[in-house]
Every structure is written in C-alpha cells, then in structure tokens.
Amino acid sequence: MKLTSKGRYAVMALVDLARFDNISPVSLRDISLRQGISLDYLEQIFSKLRKNQIVQSVRGTQGGYVLNKKAKEIKLTNIFDAVDEKVKTVQCKKESKKGCNGKLTKCVTHNLWDDLDKHINNFFEQKSLEDLVKDNSEKRI
Amino acid sequence: MKLTSKGRYAVMALVDLARFDNISPVSLRDISLRQGISLDYLEQIFSKLRKNQIVQSVRGTQGGYVLNKKAKEIKLTNIFDAVDEKVKTVQCKKESKKGCNGKLTKCVTHNLWDDLDKHINNFFEQKSLEDLVKDNSEKRI
DNA sequence: ATAAACCTGACTAAAATAGTCAAGTATCAT
DNA sequence: ATGATACTTGACTATTTTAGTCAGGTTTAT
C-alpha cells in the first residue's frame, strides 16, 4: 500500500496556496519553485482541483489560483478525491451477487477492507488544510 | 493509495489456513482451489510467510502448511510486513539533514504522513487472524 | 501587442504488480 | 524402492500504474 506523489503534491501545493492566496492569486510557477514540483505536472493536478471546486483560477497576467473555500473547510478527503488518490482495497465485483472473484461466498476478508476504508477515511475527514498550515507555521523559527 | 493483491491474498490464505490447520496440514493446492488464487503465486507468498515465521511447512505427501503461532497472536501487521505490503507514505530522503527533495525545509506535509502511518498501523495491530476467522464464521448460515 | 499564466490532450519512460514457468528437493504411502 | 504429492527457488514476462514531459493552445492585465 502506498501514497502516490500526486496526492502528496496536491497537499503540498494547497498548503502553499493557503499561505499566500490572501495577498493575491498564486501562480503555479511560484508553487513549482517553492515546492520543487514540475510545472507541467502541477497543471494536471490543478486542473483536477479546479474541476472539483477546491480552487478557483484567475487567468491572465498576475493570475494564478486561489482557494475556493476556507482552509478550514477543505478536508484531506476532498483533496484526495479530487486527484483520484483513493484508498482502493476490495477489488471484488460488488455488482455480482456471487461476490468476490465469482465465488459463491464473499471472500473471507471482504469486511476487513471495508473497515479499513472507514478507518483511513476517518483520518482524512478529520484533517483540514488549516490544520496543516498551523502545524507548519508553529514549527517555523 | 491502494492495497495490492499480494496482501489481500496473504490474508485470505491465512484465514483459510487458520480454519483447517488443526485437523492436518493444509496444502497450497487446497487453498488455491478454495480461494481462487493461482498456485504458483501462493507459493511465492508462502515462501515469505515461512521466512517470517508465520507458518511452518510440512513436506511430503499429506504435507502442507500450519500456523506457527496461535491465530490470536498473528496480527495483520505481521502478515503485511511479511509479504512486503507496506504503508509507504513519505518518499523524502530521511537521511539527509536537508530533508525532503533536497529542500532546506521539511516538505510541509512531512508530519502528516507520519501521523497517517501511525493511524493505519494502529488498525493493523489491533486485528488478529482470530478476529477475522470469528467475523467470518458468525456470518455463515 | 505581448508576455504571463492558465488550459488541454496526447505521449512516454520507468517502476510496480500479478502473475507464469521451469526445475528442482523432501517425504509419505504403498 | 518408487511414485505421487507437495514444498522450494529463481528467473522470466505481460500488463498496469505512475510520474512525469511535450506541444499546442486560450485568456487577460499592462
């Protein structure tokens, strides 16, 4: 099990954005430089974040992105959902009455993955962007 | 983020084993048939489980595998560790004092992944093989 | 007008995954 | 003893996912 860079970058970029977007829109170029993430890749990520109403874009010179909601209202769940960073556990065909892998019974671990899903998503639902920004600024000297 | 088949299969196979190994060693062939997992793949998985002292092998005719500890004492953590199903979150170079991606400061989300690690591992440490076997037999008719 | 910055889609190298395949070795039942 | 069963090991491979790159736009402040 692993977290991919896409999810990690999305969070890093949004924390960056949350810090600076009250002054003026933040350009991806700036985020790219500060966070060390490829500009082209950031564009892909922000395209998804925008489609999911997490950020708003401001076009033209001096343009960039701003958060679409308050940092407090953006949970990690929302971010991960937006960039398709999902907790995939059970690959069983849920549609089929026969259950997992065409077997007659549910695979013995079916419920386990459901529980795990809940457990992880619970964590993601607790944490907001604001929490992360605070965590980070506290540790600054 | 996802759970791979290897971890899923390992758990499925061990639950199967826990059910039947008090009668006699369980052959991989039987597990393969009951759980619908390729025999060759099971062999890879059990090789790792054996090296990590989770199961014992019994060679020869009527041979197979038995659990090396009581089902209660085998936690999911142990199983996932054995088959290299790890929760990978931070890919930052921990050795370097410079921290994540060669930046001067820790990447803003560094602590987040640490927390997530703990949260998930906490779940895995709670659940034992016995829990899974019980869960499953209760739901049988 | 022109440069900054967003926007889109197609493409690709590298890594991970989910196996397969081949060639053993050990041991029990007869 | 000998054959069948079942464990053991290591190499190989097709597919998928990841983590980007690349090329071409469009919008708008100045």
Side-chain angles (χ1 to χ4, degrees), chain A residues 1-3 8 11 33-34 85-88 103 108-109 111 113 115-116 119 123 127 136 139, chain B residues 1-3 8 11 33-34 85-88 103 108-109 111 113 116 119 123 127 136 139:
Chain A
M1 181 153 59
K2 69 178 175 194
L3 255 173
R8 193 157 55 92
V11 175
L33 290 172
R34 277 196 293 259
E85 182 80 290
K86 283 171 193 158
V87 180
K88 286 188 287 186
K103 290 276 162 188
V108 291
T109 57
N111 299 309
W113 311 134
D115 289 350
L116 177 60
H119 185 75
F123 178 84
K127 287 262 182 187
N136 212 254
K139 272 155 200 155
Chain B
M1 181 154 56
K2 68 179 177 192
L3 255 174
R8 192 157 56 92
V11 175
L33 290 172
R34 278 195 293 259
E85 182 80 291
K86 282 170 194 159
V87 180
K88 284 187 289 184
K103 290 276 164 191
V108 293
T109 56
N111 298 307
W113 310 135
L116 177 59
H119 186 75
F123 179 85
K127 288 263 181 185
N136 212 254
K139 271 152 200 157

mmCIF file of all heavy atoms in Angstrom, chain A residues 1-3 8 11 33-34 85-88 103 108-109 111 113 115-116 119 123 127 136 139, chain B residues 1-3 8 11 33-34 85-88 103 108-109 111 113 116 119 123 127 136 139:
data_model
loop_
_atom_site.group_PDB
_atom_site.id
_atom_site.type_symbol
_atom_site.label_atom_id
_atom_site.label_comp_id
_atom_site.label_asym_id
_atom_site.label_seq_id
_atom_site.Cartn_x
_atom_site.Cartn_y
_atom_site.Cartn_z
ATOM 1 N N MET A 1 0.845 -1.190 0.000
ATOM 2 C CA MET A 1 0.000 0.000 0.000
ATOM 3 C C MET A 1 0.880 1.239 0.000
ATOM 4 O O MET A 1 1.868 1.309 0.699
ATOM 5 C CB MET A 1 -0.867 0.011 1.245
ATOM 6 C CG MET A 1 -1.774 1.200 1.296
ATOM 7 S SD MET A 1 -3.244 0.916 2.229
ATOM 8 C CE MET A 1 -2.600 0.500 3.789
ATOM 9 N N LYS A 2 0.495 2.187 -0.770
ATOM 10 C CA LYS A 2 1.320 3.386 -0.812
ATOM 11 C C LYS A 2 0.510 4.630 -1.166
ATOM 12 O O LYS A 2 -0.564 4.549 -1.721
ATOM 13 C CB LYS A 2 2.437 3.213 -1.822
ATOM 14 C CG LYS A 2 1.917 3.190 -3.236
ATOM 15 C CD LYS A 2 3.014 3.058 -4.232
ATOM 16 C CE LYS A 2 2.410 2.919 -5.622
ATOM 17 N NZ LYS A 2 3.361 2.467 -6.613
ATOM 18 N N LEU A 3 1.066 5.745 -0.794
ATOM 19 C CA LEU A 3 0.515 7.020 -1.213
ATOM 20 C C LEU A 3 1.321 7.470 -2.412
ATOM 21 O O LEU A 3 2.544 7.431 -2.391
ATOM 22 C CB LEU A 3 0.698 8.028 -0.100
ATOM 23 C CG LEU A 3 -0.533 8.390 0.696
ATOM 24 C CD1 LEU A 3 -0.164 9.267 1.848
ATOM 25 C CD2 LEU A 3 -1.530 9.100 -0.198
ATOM 26 N N ARG A 8 0.404 13.554 -2.678
ATOM 27 C CA ARG A 8 1.341 14.288 -1.842
ATOM 28 C C ARG A 8 1.559 15.690 -2.397
ATOM 29 O O ARG A 8 1.498 16.675 -1.663
ATOM 30 C CB ARG A 8 2.674 13.532 -1.787
ATOM 31 C CG ARG A 8 3.631 14.000 -0.731
ATOM 32 C CD ARG A 8 4.631 12.912 -0.374
ATOM 33 N NE ARG A 8 5.349 12.407 -1.532
ATOM 34 C CZ ARG A 8 6.526 12.903 -1.945
ATOM 35 N NH1 ARG A 8 7.096 13.881 -1.292
ATOM 36 N NH2 ARG A 8 7.130 12.388 -2.999
ATOM 37 N N VAL A 11 -1.416 18.039 -1.827
ATOM 38 C CA VAL A 11 -1.474 18.594 -0.477
ATOM 39 C C VAL A 11 -0.403 19.661 -0.286
ATOM 40 O O VAL A 11 -0.672 20.747 0.233
ATOM 41 C CB VAL A 11 -1.320 17.488 0.582
ATOM 42 C CG1 VAL A 11 -1.254 18.081 1.979
ATOM 43 C CG2 VAL A 11 -2.470 16.508 0.489
ATOM 44 N N LEU A 33 8.395 26.479 -7.983
ATOM 45 C CA LEU A 33 9.715 26.845 -7.472
ATOM 46 C C LEU A 33 9.845 26.567 -5.985
ATOM 47 O O LEU A 33 10.830 25.976 -5.534
ATOM 48 C CB LEU A 33 9.987 28.332 -7.744
ATOM 49 C CG LEU A 33 10.199 28.675 -9.219
ATOM 50 C CD1 LEU A 33 10.269 30.176 -9.419
ATOM 51 C CD2 LEU A 33 11.458 27.995 -9.751
ATOM 52 N N ARG A 34 8.829 26.956 -5.229
ATOM 53 C CA ARG A 34 8.915 26.798 -3.778
ATOM 54 C C ARG A 34 8.886 25.343 -3.350
ATOM 55 O O ARG A 34 9.589 24.937 -2.433
ATOM 56 C CB ARG A 34 7.758 27.548 -3.095
ATOM 57 C CG ARG A 34 8.011 29.033 -2.904
ATOM 58 C CD ARG A 34 7.028 29.626 -1.900
ATOM 59 N NE ARG A 34 5.660 29.622 -2.414
ATOM 60 C CZ ARG A 34 5.049 30.708 -2.928
ATOM 61 N NH1 ARG A 34 5.675 31.849 -3.001
ATOM 62 N NH2 ARG A 34 3.810 30.620 -3.358
ATOM 63 N N GLU A 85 -6.754 10.119 -5.747
ATOM 64 C CA GLU A 85 -5.912 9.374 -4.817
ATOM 65 C C GLU A 85 -6.870 8.650 -3.880
ATOM 66 O O GLU A 85 -7.298 9.199 -2.878
ATOM 67 C CB GLU A 85 -5.019 10.349 -4.045
ATOM 68 C CG GLU A 85 -4.073 9.676 -3.078
ATOM 69 C CD GLU A 85 -2.852 9.132 -3.775
ATOM 70 O OE1 GLU A 85 -2.986 8.151 -4.536
ATOM 71 O OE2 GLU A 85 -1.760 9.677 -3.548
ATOM 72 N N LYS A 86 -7.200 7.439 -4.262
ATOM 73 C CA LYS A 86 -8.223 6.737 -3.495
ATOM 74 C C LYS A 86 -7.632 5.600 -2.687
ATOM 75 O O LYS A 86 -6.592 5.060 -3.029
ATOM 76 C CB LYS A 86 -9.298 6.178 -4.429
ATOM 77 C CG LYS A 86 -10.248 7.242 -4.909
ATOM 78 C CD LYS A 86 -11.143 6.683 -5.999
ATOM 79 C CE LYS A 86 -11.866 7.826 -6.705
ATOM 80 N NZ LYS A 86 -12.329 7.461 -8.035
ATOM 81 N N VAL A 87 -8.335 5.273 -1.641
ATOM 82 C CA VAL A 87 -7.991 4.077 -0.892
ATOM 83 C C VAL A 87 -8.706 2.925 -1.559
ATOM 84 O O VAL A 87 -9.914 2.766 -1.425
ATOM 85 C CB VAL A 87 -8.442 4.187 0.574
ATOM 86 C CG1 VAL A 87 -8.076 2.930 1.332
ATOM 87 C CG2 VAL A 87 -7.828 5.400 1.213
ATOM 88 N N LYS A 88 -7.963 2.204 -2.352
ATOM 89 C CA LYS A 88 -8.567 1.062 -3.021
ATOM 90 C C LYS A 88 -8.232 -0.197 -2.242
ATOM 91 O O LYS A 88 -7.071 -0.513 -2.036
ATOM 92 C CB LYS A 88 -8.045 0.916 -4.450
ATOM 93 C CG LYS A 88 -8.611 1.939 -5.404
ATOM 94 C CD LYS A 88 -8.204 1.614 -6.834
ATOM 95 C CE LYS A 88 -6.739 1.911 -7.060
ATOM 96 N NZ LYS A 88 -6.315 1.745 -8.456
ATOM 97 N N LYS A 103 -16.807 -16.320 -6.694
ATOM 98 C CA LYS A 103 -17.019 -17.400 -5.734
ATOM 99 C C LYS A 103 -18.438 -17.310 -5.182
ATOM 100 O O LYS A 103 -19.073 -16.254 -5.223
ATOM 101 C CB LYS A 103 -16.029 -17.277 -4.568
ATOM 102 C CG LYS A 103 -14.605 -17.590 -4.974
ATOM 103 C CD LYS A 103 -14.366 -19.097 -4.941
ATOM 104 C CE LYS A 103 -13.143 -19.446 -5.749
ATOM 105 N NZ LYS A 103 -12.958 -20.881 -5.910
ATOM 106 N N VAL A 108 -13.224 -14.130 2.285
ATOM 107 C CA VAL A 108 -13.232 -14.109 3.747
ATOM 108 C C VAL A 108 -12.799 -12.775 4.347
ATOM 109 O O VAL A 108 -12.987 -12.547 5.530
ATOM 110 C CB VAL A 108 -12.325 -15.217 4.316
ATOM 111 C CG1 VAL A 108 -12.921 -16.570 4.033
ATOM 112 C CG2 VAL A 108 -10.923 -15.111 3.780
ATOM 113 N N THR A 109 -12.219 -11.939 3.542
ATOM 114 C CA THR A 109 -11.694 -10.700 4.097
ATOM 115 C C THR A 109 -12.485 -9.467 3.680
ATOM 116 O O THR A 109 -12.121 -8.351 4.001
ATOM 117 C CB THR A 109 -10.245 -10.498 3.630
ATOM 118 O OG1 THR A 109 -10.215 -10.505 2.218
ATOM 119 C CG2 THR A 109 -9.345 -11.571 4.163
ATOM 120 N N ASN A 111 -15.129 -7.869 4.592
ATOM 121 C CA ASN A 111 -15.498 -6.873 5.595
ATOM 122 C C ASN A 111 -14.293 -6.145 6.163
ATOM 123 O O ASN A 111 -14.385 -4.987 6.555
ATOM 124 C CB ASN A 111 -16.267 -7.545 6.724
ATOM 125 C CG ASN A 111 -17.548 -8.179 6.223
ATOM 126 O OD1 ASN A 111 -18.335 -7.535 5.550
ATOM 127 N ND2 ASN A 111 -17.725 -9.460 6.504
ATOM 128 N N TRP A 113 -11.640 -5.096 4.604
ATOM 129 C CA TRP A 113 -11.268 -3.939 3.783
ATOM 130 C C TRP A 113 -12.265 -2.804 3.937
ATOM 131 O O TRP A 113 -11.896 -1.634 3.894
ATOM 132 C CB TRP A 113 -11.124 -4.332 2.319
ATOM 133 C CG TRP A 113 -10.279 -5.541 2.090
ATOM 134 C CD1 TRP A 113 -10.574 -6.592 1.281
ATOM 135 C CD2 TRP A 113 -8.994 -5.839 2.669
ATOM 136 N NE1 TRP A 113 -9.558 -7.522 1.328
ATOM 137 C CE2 TRP A 113 -8.584 -7.089 2.176
ATOM 138 C CE3 TRP A 113 -8.165 -5.187 3.568
ATOM 139 C CZ2 TRP A 113 -7.384 -7.692 2.541
ATOM 140 C CZ3 TRP A 113 -6.969 -5.779 3.943
ATOM 141 C CH2 TRP A 113 -6.590 -7.027 3.431
ATOM 142 N N ASP A 115 -13.783 -2.112 6.696
ATOM 143 C CA ASP A 115 -13.419 -1.474 7.963
ATOM 144 C C ASP A 115 -12.196 -0.586 7.803
ATOM 145 O O ASP A 115 -12.141 0.516 8.338
ATOM 146 C CB ASP A 115 -13.122 -2.531 9.033
ATOM 147 C CG ASP A 115 -14.385 -3.250 9.476
ATOM 148 O OD1 ASP A 115 -15.485 -2.797 9.101
ATOM 149 O OD2 ASP A 115 -14.268 -4.260 10.179
ATOM 150 N N LEU A 116 -11.233 -1.100 7.070
ATOM 151 C CA LEU A 116 -10.006 -0.336 6.860
ATOM 152 C C LEU A 116 -10.299 0.966 6.126
ATOM 153 O O LEU A 116 -9.814 2.036 6.501
ATOM 154 C CB LEU A 116 -9.000 -1.177 6.076
ATOM 155 C CG LEU A 116 -7.691 -0.480 5.709
ATOM 156 C CD1 LEU A 116 -6.948 -0.012 6.953
ATOM 157 C CD2 LEU A 116 -6.802 -1.401 4.897
ATOM 158 N N HIS A 119 -11.668 3.392 8.487
ATOM 159 C CA HIS A 119 -10.638 3.852 9.420
ATOM 160 C C HIS A 119 -9.757 4.930 8.780
ATOM 161 O O HIS A 119 -9.477 5.962 9.387
ATOM 162 C CB HIS A 119 -9.788 2.656 9.857
ATOM 163 C CG HIS A 119 -8.783 2.976 10.905
ATOM 164 N ND1 HIS A 119 -9.129 3.184 12.222
ATOM 165 C CD2 HIS A 119 -7.437 3.119 10.847
ATOM 166 C CE1 HIS A 119 -8.033 3.443 12.925
ATOM 167 N NE2 HIS A 119 -6.990 3.408 12.119
ATOM 168 N N PHE A 123 -9.611 9.349 9.222
ATOM 169 C CA PHE A 123 -8.436 10.200 9.424
ATOM 170 C C PHE A 123 -8.440 11.370 8.448
ATOM 171 O O PHE A 123 -8.221 12.520 8.832
ATOM 172 C CB PHE A 123 -7.172 9.356 9.227
ATOM 173 C CG PHE A 123 -5.876 10.116 9.369
ATOM 174 C CD1 PHE A 123 -5.317 10.330 10.621
ATOM 175 C CD2 PHE A 123 -5.219 10.610 8.262
ATOM 176 C CE1 PHE A 123 -4.121 11.019 10.761
ATOM 177 C CE2 PHE A 123 -4.015 11.303 8.389
ATOM 178 C CZ PHE A 123 -3.476 11.506 9.646
ATOM 179 N N LYS A 127 -8.715 15.832 9.245
ATOM 180 C CA LYS A 127 -7.678 16.814 8.966
ATOM 181 C C LYS A 127 -8.094 17.804 7.885
ATOM 182 O O LYS A 127 -8.492 17.414 6.798
ATOM 183 C CB LYS A 127 -6.405 16.096 8.481
ATOM 184 C CG LYS A 127 -5.664 15.367 9.586
ATOM 185 C CD LYS A 127 -4.507 16.182 10.141
ATOM 186 C CE LYS A 127 -3.782 15.364 11.228
ATOM 187 N NZ LYS A 127 -2.751 16.163 11.905
ATOM 188 N N ASN A 136 2.448 23.639 10.473
ATOM 189 C CA ASN A 136 3.700 24.000 9.847
ATOM 190 C C ASN A 136 4.255 25.327 10.328
ATOM 191 O O ASN A 136 5.451 25.462 10.548
ATOM 192 C CB ASN A 136 3.518 24.027 8.338
ATOM 193 C CG ASN A 136 4.799 23.622 7.654
ATOM 194 O OD1 ASN A 136 5.480 24.450 7.112
ATOM 195 N ND2 ASN A 136 5.148 22.336 7.748
ATOM 196 N N LYS A 139 5.988 25.290 13.705
ATOM 197 C CA LYS A 139 7.329 24.725 13.763
ATOM 198 C C LYS A 139 8.405 25.619 13.152
ATOM 199 O O LYS A 139 9.575 25.310 13.186
ATOM 200 C CB LYS A 139 7.331 23.358 13.096
ATOM 201 C CG LYS A 139 6.963 22.271 14.087
ATOM 202 C CD LYS A 139 6.371 21.061 13.420
ATOM 203 C CE LYS A 139 5.591 20.241 14.443
ATOM 204 N NZ LYS A 139 4.557 19.434 13.828
ATOM 205 N N MET B 1 -3.768 5.667 -3.311
ATOM 206 C CA MET B 1 -3.375 4.660 -2.323
ATOM 207 C C MET B 1 -4.173 3.382 -2.538
ATOM 208 O O MET B 1 -5.362 3.420 -2.752
ATOM 209 C CB MET B 1 -3.645 5.180 -0.923
ATOM 210 C CG MET B 1 -3.233 4.190 0.120
ATOM 211 S SD MET B 1 -2.833 4.918 1.681
ATOM 212 C CE MET B 1 -4.301 5.792 2.056
ATOM 213 N N LYS B 2 -3.497 2.288 -2.474
ATOM 214 C CA LYS B 2 -4.208 1.035 -2.680
ATOM 215 C C LYS B 2 -3.572 -0.120 -1.926
ATOM 216 O O LYS B 2 -2.416 -0.077 -1.551
ATOM 217 C CB LYS B 2 -4.260 0.694 -4.155
ATOM 218 C CG LYS B 2 -2.912 0.349 -4.706
ATOM 219 C CD LYS B 2 -2.996 -0.001 -6.165
ATOM 220 C CE LYS B 2 -1.588 -0.269 -6.667
ATOM 221 N NZ LYS B 2 -1.505 -0.336 -8.112
ATOM 222 N N LEU B 3 -4.373 -1.125 -1.726
ATOM 223 C CA LEU B 3 -3.879 -2.370 -1.169
ATOM 224 C C LEU B 3 -3.667 -3.312 -2.337
ATOM 225 O O LEU B 3 -4.534 -3.456 -3.183
ATOM 226 C CB LEU B 3 -4.927 -2.974 -0.245
ATOM 227 C CG LEU B 3 -4.656 -2.850 1.238
ATOM 228 C CD1 LEU B 3 -5.834 -3.348 2.011
ATOM 229 C CD2 LEU B 3 -3.430 -3.663 1.595
ATOM 230 N N ARG B 8 -3.763 -8.934 0.099
ATOM 231 C CA ARG B 8 -5.117 -9.463 0.204
ATOM 232 C C ARG B 8 -5.101 -10.983 0.166
ATOM 233 O O ARG B 8 -5.739 -11.653 0.985
ATOM 234 C CB ARG B 8 -5.972 -8.917 -0.946
ATOM 235 C CG ARG B 8 -7.445 -9.142 -0.796
ATOM 236 C CD ARG B 8 -8.234 -8.126 -1.633
ATOM 237 N NE ARG B 8 -7.850 -8.152 -3.038
ATOM 238 C CZ ARG B 8 -8.459 -8.913 -3.951
ATOM 239 N NH1 ARG B 8 -9.458 -9.694 -3.611
ATOM 240 N NH2 ARG B 8 -8.066 -8.870 -5.213
ATOM 241 N N VAL B 11 -3.783 -12.594 3.391
ATOM 242 C CA VAL B 11 -4.767 -12.654 4.466
ATOM 243 C C VAL B 11 -5.804 -13.723 4.185
ATOM 244 O O VAL B 11 -6.158 -14.520 5.056
ATOM 245 C CB VAL B 11 -5.433 -11.275 4.673
ATOM 246 C CG1 VAL B 11 -6.540 -11.366 5.703
ATOM 247 C CG2 VAL B 11 -4.408 -10.250 5.106
ATOM 248 N N LEU B 33 -7.636 -23.803 -4.636
ATOM 249 C CA LEU B 33 -8.965 -24.146 -5.129
ATOM 250 C C LEU B 33 -10.056 -23.400 -4.375
ATOM 251 O O LEU B 33 -10.963 -22.836 -4.972
ATOM 252 C CB LEU B 33 -9.196 -25.661 -5.003
ATOM 253 C CG LEU B 33 -8.358 -26.519 -5.958
ATOM 254 C CD1 LEU B 33 -8.510 -27.996 -5.619
ATOM 255 C CD2 LEU B 33 -8.778 -26.259 -7.408
ATOM 256 N N ARG B 34 -9.947 -23.401 -3.045
ATOM 257 C CA ARG B 34 -11.000 -22.765 -2.250
ATOM 258 C C ARG B 34 -11.037 -21.259 -2.436
ATOM 259 O O ARG B 34 -12.119 -20.657 -2.493
ATOM 260 C CB ARG B 34 -10.787 -23.075 -0.760
ATOM 261 C CG ARG B 34 -11.317 -24.434 -0.336
ATOM 262 C CD ARG B 34 -11.428 -24.528 1.186
ATOM 263 N NE ARG B 34 -10.124 -24.500 1.843
ATOM 264 C CZ ARG B 34 -9.499 -25.591 2.302
ATOM 265 N NH1 ARG B 34 -10.043 -26.786 2.170
ATOM 266 N NH2 ARG B 34 -8.326 -25.485 2.888
ATOM 267 N N GLU B 85 3.899 -5.809 2.103
ATOM 268 C CA GLU B 85 2.773 -4.906 1.855
ATOM 269 C C GLU B 85 2.888 -3.791 2.873
ATOM 270 O O GLU B 85 2.423 -3.901 3.990
ATOM 271 C CB GLU B 85 1.455 -5.667 2.048
ATOM 272 C CG GLU B 85 0.217 -4.847 1.765
ATOM 273 C CD GLU B 85 -0.078 -4.728 0.295
ATOM 274 O OE1 GLU B 85 0.690 -4.048 -0.399
ATOM 275 O OE2 GLU B 85 -1.060 -5.329 -0.168
ATOM 276 N N LYS B 86 3.569 -2.744 2.469
ATOM 277 C CA LYS B 86 3.853 -1.686 3.429
ATOM 278 C C LYS B 86 3.049 -0.438 3.142
ATOM 279 O O LYS B 86 2.642 -0.197 2.017
ATOM 280 C CB LYS B 86 5.340 -1.329 3.392
ATOM 281 C CG LYS B 86 6.196 -2.340 4.128
ATOM 282 C CD LYS B 86 7.665 -2.095 3.855
ATOM 283 C CE LYS B 86 8.484 -3.298 4.312
ATOM 284 N NZ LYS B 86 9.785 -3.347 3.667
ATOM 285 N N VAL B 87 2.858 0.322 4.176
ATOM 286 C CA VAL B 87 2.263 1.636 4.006
ATOM 287 C C VAL B 87 3.391 2.591 3.706
ATOM 288 O O VAL B 87 4.158 2.960 4.580
ATOM 289 C CB VAL B 87 1.539 2.083 5.282
ATOM 290 C CG1 VAL B 87 0.918 3.460 5.079
ATOM 291 C CG2 VAL B 87 0.488 1.075 5.668
ATOM 292 N N LYS B 88 3.515 2.916 2.439
ATOM 293 C CA LYS B 88 4.573 3.840 2.065
ATOM 294 C C LYS B 88 3.970 5.222 1.905
ATOM 295 O O LYS B 88 3.062 5.420 1.119
ATOM 296 C CB LYS B 88 5.228 3.420 0.746
ATOM 297 C CG LYS B 88 6.166 2.242 0.891
ATOM 298 C CD LYS B 88 6.903 1.975 -0.406
ATOM 299 C CE LYS B 88 5.995 1.393 -1.477
ATOM 300 N NZ LYS B 88 6.705 1.044 -2.713
ATOM 301 N N LYS B 103 15.267 20.088 -0.367
ATOM 302 C CA LYS B 103 14.904 21.449 0.046
ATOM 303 C C LYS B 103 15.509 21.733 1.422
ATOM 304 O O LYS B 103 15.833 20.820 2.171
ATOM 305 C CB LYS B 103 13.373 21.578 0.131
ATOM 306 C CG LYS B 103 12.709 21.547 -1.229
ATOM 307 C CD LYS B 103 12.707 22.916 -1.869
ATOM 308 C CE LYS B 103 12.406 22.813 -3.352
ATOM 309 N NZ LYS B 103 12.641 24.070 -4.049
ATOM 310 N N VAL B 108 6.177 20.497 3.581
ATOM 311 C CA VAL B 108 5.151 20.944 4.515
ATOM 312 C C VAL B 108 4.239 19.836 5.036
ATOM 313 O O VAL B 108 3.508 20.032 5.990
ATOM 314 C CB VAL B 108 4.259 22.039 3.875
ATOM 315 C CG1 VAL B 108 5.078 23.296 3.648
ATOM 316 C CG2 VAL B 108 3.641 21.556 2.590
ATOM 317 N N THR B 109 4.300 18.709 4.403
ATOM 318 C CA THR B 109 3.371 17.655 4.795
ATOM 319 C C THR B 109 4.062 16.497 5.498
ATOM 320 O O THR B 109 3.431 15.498 5.825
ATOM 321 C CB THR B 109 2.667 17.097 3.551
ATOM 322 O OG1 THR B 109 3.662 16.657 2.637
ATOM 323 C CG2 THR B 109 1.806 18.151 2.911
ATOM 324 N N ASN B 111 5.040 15.711 8.466
ATOM 325 C CA ASN B 111 4.465 15.157 9.695
ATOM 326 C C ASN B 111 3.123 14.480 9.443
ATOM 327 O O ASN B 111 2.756 13.543 10.140
ATOM 328 C CB ASN B 111 4.291 16.267 10.721
ATOM 329 C CG ASN B 111 5.621 16.888 11.087
ATOM 330 O OD1 ASN B 111 6.552 16.180 11.453
ATOM 331 N ND2 ASN B 111 5.720 18.200 10.964
ATOM 332 N N TRP B 113 2.224 12.579 6.959
ATOM 333 C CA TRP B 113 2.362 11.179 6.560
ATOM 334 C C TRP B 113 2.797 10.310 7.736
ATOM 335 O O TRP B 113 2.409 9.150 7.834
ATOM 336 C CB TRP B 113 3.334 11.032 5.399
ATOM 337 C CG TRP B 113 3.072 11.960 4.252
ATOM 338 C CD1 TRP B 113 3.992 12.688 3.580
ATOM 339 C CD2 TRP B 113 1.807 12.248 3.634
ATOM 340 N NE1 TRP B 113 3.378 13.417 2.595
ATOM 341 C CE2 TRP B 113 2.048 13.168 2.606
ATOM 342 C CE3 TRP B 113 0.496 11.829 3.856
ATOM 343 C CZ2 TRP B 113 1.039 13.679 1.804
ATOM 344 C CZ3 TRP B 113 -0.515 12.342 3.049
ATOM 345 C CH2 TRP B 113 -0.252 13.251 2.053
ATOM 346 N N LEU B 116 -0.351 9.593 9.559
ATOM 347 C CA LEU B 116 -1.171 8.632 8.826
ATOM 348 C C LEU B 116 -0.627 7.216 9.002
ATOM 349 O O LEU B 116 -1.369 6.271 9.242
ATOM 350 C CB LEU B 116 -1.200 8.995 7.336
ATOM 351 C CG LEU B 116 -1.960 8.037 6.433
ATOM 352 C CD1 LEU B 116 -3.412 7.923 6.867
ATOM 353 C CD2 LEU B 116 -1.867 8.470 4.988
ATOM 354 N N HIS B 119 -1.680 5.936 12.254
ATOM 355 C CA HIS B 119 -3.114 5.668 12.272
ATOM 356 C C HIS B 119 -3.446 4.328 11.614
ATOM 357 O O HIS B 119 -4.219 3.531 12.141
ATOM 358 C CB HIS B 119 -3.837 6.803 11.550
ATOM 359 C CG HIS B 119 -5.324 6.729 11.624
ATOM 360 N ND1 HIS B 119 -6.033 7.042 12.768
ATOM 361 C CD2 HIS B 119 -6.253 6.388 10.697
ATOM 362 C CE1 HIS B 119 -7.325 6.896 12.534
ATOM 363 N NE2 HIS B 119 -7.486 6.506 11.284
ATOM 364 N N PHE B 123 -4.489 0.325 13.270
ATOM 365 C CA PHE B 123 -5.579 -0.563 12.841
ATOM 366 C C PHE B 123 -5.066 -1.983 12.627
ATOM 367 O O PHE B 123 -5.660 -2.955 13.093
ATOM 368 C CB PHE B 123 -6.190 -0.019 11.555
ATOM 369 C CG PHE B 123 -7.302 -0.855 10.987
ATOM 370 C CD1 PHE B 123 -8.605 -0.698 11.433
ATOM 371 C CD2 PHE B 123 -7.053 -1.801 9.992
ATOM 372 C CE1 PHE B 123 -9.634 -1.459 10.914
ATOM 373 C CE2 PHE B 123 -8.084 -2.561 9.464
ATOM 374 C CZ PHE B 123 -9.373 -2.390 9.924
ATOM 375 N N LYS B 127 -6.094 -5.849 14.791
ATOM 376 C CA LYS B 127 -6.773 -7.008 14.200
ATOM 377 C C LYS B 127 -5.877 -8.231 14.151
ATOM 378 O O LYS B 127 -4.772 -8.182 13.608
ATOM 379 C CB LYS B 127 -7.214 -6.668 12.769
ATOM 380 C CG LYS B 127 -8.370 -5.701 12.697
ATOM 381 C CD LYS B 127 -9.699 -6.418 12.519
ATOM 382 C CE LYS B 127 -10.828 -5.384 12.421
ATOM 383 N NZ LYS B 127 -12.155 -6.012 12.375
ATOM 384 N N ASN B 136 -15.946 -14.184 10.292
ATOM 385 C CA ASN B 136 -16.440 -14.888 9.137
ATOM 386 C C ASN B 136 -17.373 -16.021 9.477
ATOM 387 O O ASN B 136 -18.383 -16.220 8.817
ATOM 388 C CB ASN B 136 -15.269 -15.398 8.320
ATOM 389 C CG ASN B 136 -15.621 -15.422 6.864
ATOM 390 O OD1 ASN B 136 -15.836 -16.491 6.313
ATOM 391 N ND2 ASN B 136 -15.740 -14.247 6.262
ATOM 392 N N LYS B 139 -20.981 -15.069 10.328
ATOM 393 C CA LYS B 139 -21.861 -14.675 9.243
ATOM 394 C C LYS B 139 -22.314 -15.857 8.377
ATOM 395 O O LYS B 139 -23.081 -15.699 7.446
ATOM 396 C CB LYS B 139 -21.174 -13.619 8.379
ATOM 397 C CG LYS B 139 -21.446 -12.229 8.900
ATOM 398 C CD LYS B 139 -20.338 -11.270 8.552
ATOM 399 C CE LYS B 139 -20.399 -10.054 9.481
ATOM 400 N NZ LYS B 139 -19.117 -9.385 9.587
#
